[in-house]
Amino acid sequence: GALRVTQEPGELQVTAGDTVALECRVALEVAEGEALLRMEWLRDGALGVLCVTRLIFGIPLPPSPCPRQAPGAQLAWHPPRATLSLPQVQRNDSGRYLCRVTLEI
């Protein structure tokens, strides 16, 4: 496989009002500088895709807002690590979050 994605932390408990940072690490076994990636953060349940963007593996992306499905959420990319920040989480933000990365051709 040319692409390996890992997430940290595996499980996290926080207090309402805290800011949460979820991390996704991407490892490539191909020409990293030229690789185009599609990164999605998903949450189980009705929300589906919270944040989606296209990235070039070797080029950082400063924190940028996610769409309306995740108000206040921001995604940053500092190769090989992406961070999804969720400010002032509430009880209804609980669930499983998944970082899905696709190597585009």
Side-chain angles (χ1 to χ4, degrees), residues 30-100:
V30 295
E32 295 178 351
E34 300 298 318
L36 179 62
L37 305 175
R38 175 183 173 92
M39 178 172 285
E40 299 172 299
W41 278 92
L42 301 99
R43 185 175 141 208
D44 60 359
L47 288 179
V49 177
L50 295 176
C51 206
V52 61
T53 192
R54 283 192 167 86
L55 308 163
I56 296 175
F57 185 83
I59 300 177
L61 175 72
S64 56
C66 293
R68 287 186 293 264
Q69 293 94 321
Q74 292 193 326
L75 178 63
W77 169 245
H78 300 284
R81 184 176 59 245
T83 304
L84 179 68
S85 298
L86 304 168
Q88 299 179 350
V89 294
Q90 301 301 315
R91 178 170 280 223
N92 62 350
D93 291 319
S94 66
R96 292 181 186 208
Y97 289 76
L98 174 69
C99 173
R100 180 166 60 194

Side-chain angles (χ1 to χ4, degrees), residues 4-20:
R4 186 174 61 241
V5 179
T6 55
Q7 279 184 239
E8 292 181 8
E11 187 172 320
L12 184 64
Q13 292 183 2
V14 298
T15 304
D18 286 353
T19 295
V20 174

